């Protein structure tokens, strides 16, 4: 017998994009709709395959719904699978645990949800497939849930569905922790995991797979995103096939200003690197972070008017392609080693260094940033987390403008 199933996780429907403050309303609106478009495409592709059943291994939603539209959208899409006679298996993760999503969702007849107080199993007799899983009752789950999963059904294809960080993954809380040995001990044929947003095949015997999330939501989530398709023949799973469905990509460009003699050369380098990222994005909307560093004679120009150079950098990137949004411009340049003084008796740079080392100045700066954060709508980045970078920028700006003024006089 041969069949194919879909394994997806971490849809995070309703999640805002993090760290973005886009000035182009059209680009912002397109980015906001990327997650829903990715999920719609996932269902389209699953129906084209076609698949025998679908697994969603946690964090379907990003938390309790602010309005019903998110739940209705999800229900409409999985109803398309149910209408085609495709069973759907849902498991709650930390973002949509019983204690988080407090409203009920009436699911299509072919959609089944794993229990959250103990492991449960669902059988597909025609395929001789059994799925075992337990969802999250609470957002924080520190117990090793896998240990309590039932023994495999002999002669059937056994799938374990689990929302877990395994033995830990960078950037992810240690929820439902377990080891690969814990999973192997169950003698299942495939482990459909969720929680980790990067695609990863953690093991091959049996297959232990994180499909990754459907759509990157911040600069921390770069590269292709989607789900996996698993082909099973005569009770054995082939290597999972990635199904890429994301509608927008995040990427970062880092340039060394020291390699450029003038601003025009630097801007050409930005455009060239942006073209590389555009090609990798394959026609998708691209949210680009551009970081420029290095000791360079251009430092004075850049630091004296960072707002102007942000515009110049964004324009250079958009010459590569119109569908580029500047997620953030980070200026980390420094002056060349020998910094001319304004006169022989006064070292303005040393004075600035002394001022910025003063603890009272840091305290005043933190208070000012806290006041700004209190008036900024979520999900804006925390300015106080970047105090050192902001102080360096202020120092460089003051020095650059002083030197420019001194040269003019």
């Amino acid at each position: 017998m041969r069949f194919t199933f879909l394994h997806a996780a971490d849809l995070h429907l309703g999640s805002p994009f993090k760290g973005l403050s886009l000035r182009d309303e059209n680009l912002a609106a397109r980015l906001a709709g990327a997650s829903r478009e990715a999920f719609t495409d996932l269902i389209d592709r699953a129906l084209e395959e076609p698949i025998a059943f679908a697994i969603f291994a946690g964090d379907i939603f990003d938390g309790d719904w602010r309005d019903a539209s998110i739940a209705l959208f999800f229900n409409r899409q999985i109803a398309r699978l149910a209408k085609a006679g495709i069973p759907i298996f849902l498991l709650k993760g930390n973002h949509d645990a019983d204690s988080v999503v407090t409203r009920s969702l009436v699911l299509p007849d072919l959609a089944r949800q794993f229990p959250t107080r103990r492991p449960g199993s669902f059988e597909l007799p025609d395929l001789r497939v059994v799925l075992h899983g337990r969802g999250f009752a609470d957002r924080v789950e520190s117990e090793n849930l896998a240990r309590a999963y039932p023994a495999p059904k002999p002669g059937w294809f056994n799938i374990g569905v689990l929302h877990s960080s395994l033995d830990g993954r960078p950037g992810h809380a240690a929820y439902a922790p377990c080891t690969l040995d814990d999973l192997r001990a169950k003698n299942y044929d495939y482990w459909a995991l969720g929680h980790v947003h990067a695609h990863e095949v953690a093991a091959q015997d049996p297959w232990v797979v994180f499909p990754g999330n459907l759509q990157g939501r911040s600069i921390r989530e770069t590269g292709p995103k989607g789900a996996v398709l698993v082909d099973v023949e005569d009770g054995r799973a082939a290597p999972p096939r990635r199904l890429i469905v994301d509608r927008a990509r995040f990427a970062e460009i880092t340039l060394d200003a020291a390699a450029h003699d003038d601003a025009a050369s630097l801007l050409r380098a930005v455009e060239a690197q942006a073209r590389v990222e555009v090609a990798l994005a394959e026609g998708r909307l691209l949210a680009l972070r551009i970081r420029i560093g290095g000791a360079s004679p251009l430092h004075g120009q850049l630091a004296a008017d960072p707002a102007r150079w942000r515009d110049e950098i964004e324009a250079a990137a958009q010459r590569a392609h119109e569908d580029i949004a500047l997620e953030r411009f980070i200026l980390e340049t420094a002056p060349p080693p020998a910094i001319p003084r304004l006169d022989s008796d006064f070292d303005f740079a040393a004075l600035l260094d002394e001022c910025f080392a003063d603890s009272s100045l840091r305290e005043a700066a933190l208070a000012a940033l806290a006041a700004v954060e209190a008036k900024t709508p979520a999900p804006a980045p925390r300015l106080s987390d970047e105090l050192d970078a902001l102080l360096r920028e202020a120092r460089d700006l003051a020095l650059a403008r002083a030197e420019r003024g001194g040269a003019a006089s």
Side-chain angles (χ1 to χ4, degrees), residues 294-315:
S296 168
L298 294 175
H299 172 73
Q301 295 182 50
L302 297 168
D305 196 351
R308 174 204 161 197
W309 284 103
R310 183 195 188 283
D311 293 342
E312 294 279 6
I313 294 293
E314 185 168 20

Side-chain angles (χ1 to χ4, degrees), residues 19-29 31 306-318 324-329:
L20 284 173
S21 55
L22 301 182
R23 293 178 290 180
D24 186 318
E25 291 184 2
N26 177 54
L27 288 177
L31 222 93
R308 174 204 161 197
W309 284 103
R310 183 195 188 283
D311 293 342
E312 294 279 6
I313 294 293
E314 185 168 20
Q318 290 181 342
I324 289 182
L326 185 60
E327 184 263 354
R328 191 176 173 197
F329 170 47

Side-chain angles (χ1 to χ4, degrees), residues 141-281:
E141 179 56 77
S142 58
E143 180 184 347
N144 184 337
L145 301 182
R147 288 178 180 166
Y149 276 39
K153 186 165 184 175
W156 287 45
F157 189 84
N158 287 259
I159 300 175
V161 185
L162 178 66
H163 200 77
S164 167
S165 57
L166 280 182
D167 51 3
R169 293 296 184 276
H172 295 277
Y175 292 152
C178 61
T179 67
L180 287 175
D181 285 342
D182 291 330
L183 303 187
R184 291 188 179 108
K186 292 299 173 182
N187 290 317
Y188 293 173
D189 301 285
Y190 184 93
W191 278 94
L193 303 187
H195 185 51
V196 174
H197 289 189
H199 170 71
E200 179 186 353
V201 176
Q204 298 184 21
D205 186 20
W207 293 103
V208 179
V209 180
F210 289 107
N213 55 344
L214 285 192
Q215 172 60 59
R217 301 170 302 148
S218 76
I219 196 64
R220 293 174 55 194
E221 299 177 350
T222 59
K225 297 291 182 179
V228 296
L229 293 168
V230 184
D231 301 314
V232 179
E233 186 167 9
D234 296 330
R236 295 186 63 83
R241 297 181 280 135
R242 290 199 76 184
L243 185 60
I244 305 303
V245 297
D246 57 341
R247 284 295 184 266
R249 293 272 170 88
F250 285 82
E252 181 170 353
I253 290 173
T254 300
L255 292 171
D256 185 356
H260 303 279
D261 297 329
D262 54 48
S265 172
L266 179 63
L267 293 174
R268 285 194 296 271
V270 169
E271 182 178 349
Q273 287 299 307
R275 290 188 187 281
V276 172
E277 295 299 337
V278 166
L280 292 173

Side-chain angles (χ1 to χ4, degrees), residues 60 88-92 98 107 111-116 122:
I60 293 165
I88 304 123
F89 299 95
L90 310 174
L91 181 136
K92 290 189 174 185
D98 283 346
L107 297 170
R112 307 168 195 180
Q113 189 158 261
F114 290 99
T116 59
F122 296 112

